[in-house]
């Protein structure tokens, strides 16, 4: 398919097709205040904006930013990728006050999951955010998955389904629309779609019994949005990834599963799409396939990108490769969700301290502790740091060093990337007890080697696994946190310090 260039001029900037083309975009931008170009495009029909860590300095600043956007359009959708846990934008500089999905799945208390999601939703709503690109409903069936991992509730299908439903209910009870992702399921991949196009080679029966079950639960729970995955699933469509597939978005999600809400794409600048189809052609194909909103702005965050995508959609309608009624239907679904956010009445805040401290409470309950350790006065914390995936980002702090130092003054710490050795850590630690902090050690042979050498040399070593706990416990004390958010680090630090 070729998208012909169509330059939207001042004379047709307000026609229905152009307004609809703007309405289906969810772009990002740079800075902590809205640039003039963004406000101008909102006035012309842009109905949604995506926020990222670069746009947030404080809750007060965020509230002022969203108020600035709504001064142009009172029902604008303000979206964010706030999963809690490892993926946080609201607390990008400190780490999240909430544990992520894997921790909630480890506790397996759907009431707790619902309460955590509701409280997270209240934090977002208080800042003017009304659409959250969460939760992840992916069943993490492949333990080597490089991009899902702790973002999933777990590898058990039924567990993932019941917690997905609880999360959707809790988030939307706070007045924030949930966007359940990544349809039809990103859990059985070994490639990060930020970098390349993953492929899932399973049969239809496996998909129905595993990947689709949590999405059915989310639909039954009333999820207002579903996000598509940039993955190739040959059993469903042998040629196009889910985001661009009519068979998957319209045939499966709309017709077979009966979903009537908003379908949002994953970030179109991700290489699985941008590197194979390009964002303009990919966006046109996505809308034609049944998507209603184009997420773009994680890496491309300027007016030129918005205009390129708008013009590509308009050109496709003009040349007949994108039906005008399909674009209009997509835009209407975006506007309908925006209208819902205006009319929703959030639940009242629970009385007492349960709400304010629920994130740490959940993180404590998620811990799995093996072994014991003697009294530690001031240990040495060695964080074995893998390269973070793009969804998590490398700007958000993680680990236990800061939290442990607050409980045990005099604690020292170091960060060790791939290439570091146990000898490096032992030399820095001296006579101090070593607390080795890892993330998905089972996926990183170098971490396993360092841990084995450390434990052999120092049997009193404490090991904290903050990723998916697949490896056998090792060390005098082993703590699995099921996530690397700030409260997960705090909960582990409390155990180490004997608090």
């Amino acid at each position: 398919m070729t998208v012909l260039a169509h330059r939207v001029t001042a004379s047709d900037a307000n026609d229905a097709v152009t307004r609809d083309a703007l309405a289906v975009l969810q772009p990002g931008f740079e800075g902590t205040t809205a640039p003039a170009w963004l406000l101008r495009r909102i006035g012309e029909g842009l109905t949604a904006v995506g926020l990222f860590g670069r746009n947030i300095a404080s809750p007060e600043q965020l509230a002022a930013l969203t108020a600035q956007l709504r001064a142009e359009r009172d029902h604008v959708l303000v979206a964010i990728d706030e999963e809690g846990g490892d993926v946080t934008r609201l607390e990008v500089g400190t780490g999240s006050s909430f544990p992520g999905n894997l921790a909630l799945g480890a506790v397996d208390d759907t009431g707790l999951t619902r309460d955590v999601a509701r409280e997270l939703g209240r934090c977002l709503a208080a800042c003017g955010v009304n659409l959250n690109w969460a939760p992840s409903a992916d069943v993490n069936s492949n333990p080597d998955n490089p991009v899902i991992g702790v973002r999933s509730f777990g590898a058990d299908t039924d567990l993932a389904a019941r917690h997905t439903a609880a999360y959707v209910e809790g988030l939307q009870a706070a007045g924030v629309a949930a966007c359940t992702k990544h349809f039809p399921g990103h859990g059985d991949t070994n490639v990060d779609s930020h970098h390349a196009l993953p492929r899932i080679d399973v049969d239809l029966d496996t998909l129905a019994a595993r990947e689709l079950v949590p999405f059915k639960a989310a639909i039954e729970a009333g999820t207002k949005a579903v996000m598509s995955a940039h993955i190739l699933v040959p059993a469903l469509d042998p040629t196009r990834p889910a985001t661009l597939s009519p068979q998957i978005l319209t045939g499966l999600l709309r017709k077979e599963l009966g979903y009537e809400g908003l379908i949002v794409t994953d970030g179109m600048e991700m290489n699985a799409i941008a590197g194979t189809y390009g964002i303009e052609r990919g966006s046109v194909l996505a809308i034609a396939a049944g998507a209603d909103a184009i997420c773009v702005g994680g890496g491309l965050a300027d007016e030129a990108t918005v205009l390129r995508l708008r013009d590509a959609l308009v050109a496709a309608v003009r040349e007949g490769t994108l039906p005008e009624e399909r674009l209009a239907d997509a835009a209407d679904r975006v506007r309908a969700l925006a209208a819902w956010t205006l009319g929703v009445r959030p639940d009242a805040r629970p009385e007492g301290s349960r709400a304010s401290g629920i994130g740490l409470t959940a993180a404590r309950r998620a811990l799995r502790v093996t072994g014991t350790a003697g009294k530690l006065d001031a240990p040495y914390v060695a964080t074995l740091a893998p390269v973070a995936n793009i969804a998590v980002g490398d700007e958000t702090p993680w680990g236990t060093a800061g939290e442990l130092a607050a409980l045990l003054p005099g604690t020292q710490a170091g960060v060790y990337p791939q290439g570091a050795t146990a000898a490096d850590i032992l030399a820095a630690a001296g006579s101090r007890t070593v607390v080795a902090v890892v993330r998905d050690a089972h996926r990183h042979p170098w971490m396993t080697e360092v841990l084995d050498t450390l434990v052999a040399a120092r049997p009193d070593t404490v090991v904290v696994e903050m990723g998916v706990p697949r490896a056998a416990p090792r060390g005098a004390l082993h703590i699995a946190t099921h996530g690397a958010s700030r409260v997960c680090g705090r909960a582990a630090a409390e155990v180490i310090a004997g608090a």
Side-chain angles (χ1 to χ4, degrees):
M1 185 185 99
T2 301
V3 177
L4 299 179
H6 174 86
R7 181 69 177 174
V8 175
T9 64
S11 62
D12 61 7
N14 289 319
D15 71 19
V17 172
T18 303
R19 290 196 301 273
D20 288 346
L22 278 173
V24 302
L25 302 180
Q26 293 188 353
F29 60 95
E30 298 286 347
T32 54
T33 60
W37 70 261
L38 182 66
L39 299 176
R40 184 169 60 254
R41 300 306 171 189
I42 291 174
E44 294 174 358
L46 187 68
T47 311
V49 173
L51 299 182
F52 298 86
R54 62 176 179 258
N55 304 122
I56 301 169
S58 69
E60 296 76 17
Q61 168 270 324
L62 179 55
L65 170 58
T66 58
Q68 185 185 14
L69 296 172
R70 291 202 170 88
E72 294 296 325
R73 183 182 295 272
D74 61 354
H75 60 287
V76 69
L77 284 171
V78 181
I80 198 170
D81 194 1
E82 182 57 54
E83 299 176 12
D86 290 30
V87 179
T88 180
R89 308 297 181 240
L90 199 59
E91 300 180 275
V92 67
T94 61
S96 180
S97 300
F98 301 92
N101 285 3
L102 190 65
L104 296 172
V107 177
D108 196 12
D109 177 347
T110 54
L112 178 66
T113 295
R114 191 175 294 107
D115 288 347
V116 166
R118 184 185 291 115
E119 186 60 19
L120 176 58
R122 285 194 185 94
C123 293
L124 293 173
C127 297
V129 176
N130 54 14
L131 172 59
N132 191 10
W133 295 319
S136 169
D138 307 298
V139 179
N140 198 52
S141 54
N142 186 343
D144 292 326
N145 195 314
V147 70
I148 301 300
V150 297
R151 302 168 65 197
S152 165
F153 289 109
D156 180 87
T157 297
D158 291 337
L159 179 145
R162 61 179 175 265
H163 285 277
T164 295
Y167 197 105
V168 167
E169 293 165 356
L171 190 63
Q172 294 186 170
V176 176
C179 183
T180 306
K181 61 190 184 185
H182 307 78
F183 187 82
H186 210 310
D188 192 18
T189 60
N190 58 11
V191 172
D192 185 343
S193 50
H194 291 89
H195 301 300
L197 179 63
R199 178 185 175 110
I200 297 182
D201 286 304
V202 298
D203 56 35
L204 291 175
D205 289 342
T206 301
L207 288 168
R210 187 179 66 188
E211 270 73 18
L212 298 184
V213 175
F215 290 96
K216 290 179 180 178
I219 292 169
E220 291 174 4
T223 186
K224 293 297 179 181
V226 169
M227 177 176 283
S228 66
H230 301 331
I231 56 175
L232 187 67
V233 188
L236 297 174
D237 187 331
T239 59
R240 288 187 179 176
T243 295
L244 311 183
S245 170
Q247 294 97 309
I248 294 174
L249 297 189
T250 299
L252 176 58
L253 183 54
R254 288 280 187 226
K255 295 181 179 178
E256 291 188 36
L257 301 186
Y259 175 65
E260 293 295 333
L262 190 74
I263 299 177
V264 183
T265 72
D266 207 345
M268 296 300 285
E269 70 271 33
M270 294 165 63
N271 211 42
I273 298 297
T276 52
Y277 293 86
I279 64 167
E280 294 98 330
R281 180 173 180 239
S283 296
V284 171
L285 289 172
I287 297 296
D292 306 305
I294 301 297
C295 176
V296 66
L300 298 172
D302 53 38
E303 184 177 22
T305 298
V306 172
L307 296 181
R308 284 165 55 199
L309 297 184
R310 180 201 65 182
D311 293 354
L313 292 166
V314 171
V317 170
R318 301 284 191 246
E319 70 179 13
T321 55
L322 174 62
E324 184 174 347
E325 58 271 21
R326 170 78 274 271
L327 179 61
D329 173 66
D332 285 345
R333 291 180 188 274
V334 175
R335 296 179 187 119
L337 181 56
W340 174 84
T341 65
L342 281 179
V344 71
R345 293 292 178 264
D347 286 353
R349 187 183 184 93
E351 296 297 326
S353 61
R354 178 169 170 77
S356 60
I358 197 169
L360 181 55
T361 297
R364 288 167 175 159
R365 291 180 62 186
L367 295 181
R368 298 295 180 266
V369 181
T370 305
T372 59
K375 179 177 174 56
L376 302 183
D377 293 323
Y380 183 80
V381 182
T383 301
L384 307 186
V387 176
N389 71 59
I390 294 176
V392 173
D394 57 8
E395 68 270 36
T396 302
W398 66 281
T400 63
E403 299 294 338
L404 197 52
L407 297 174
L408 297 176
T411 294
Q412 294 184 1
V415 177
Y416 297 87
Q418 183 172 358
T421 67
D424 298 330
I425 296 171
L426 292 171
S431 61
R432 296 169 181 264
T433 299
V434 175
V435 176
V437 184
V438 296
R439 206 172 186 174
D440 290 340
H442 69 283
R443 293 200 303 111
H444 303 286
W446 68 274
M447 283 189 195
T448 301
E449 181 180 350
V450 170
L451 287 179
D452 287 342
T453 305
L454 276 176
V455 171
R458 294 278 189 87
D460 63 342
T461 295
V462 175
V463 177
V464 182
E465 170 61 82
M466 303 194 80
V468 178
R470 292 281 299 179
R474 50 165 67 79
L477 176 67
H478 185 277
I479 303 171
T481 63
H482 300 92
S485 72
R486 178 171 53 82
V487 288
C488 291
R490 172 71 185 189
E494 290 174 346
V495 172
I496 296 169

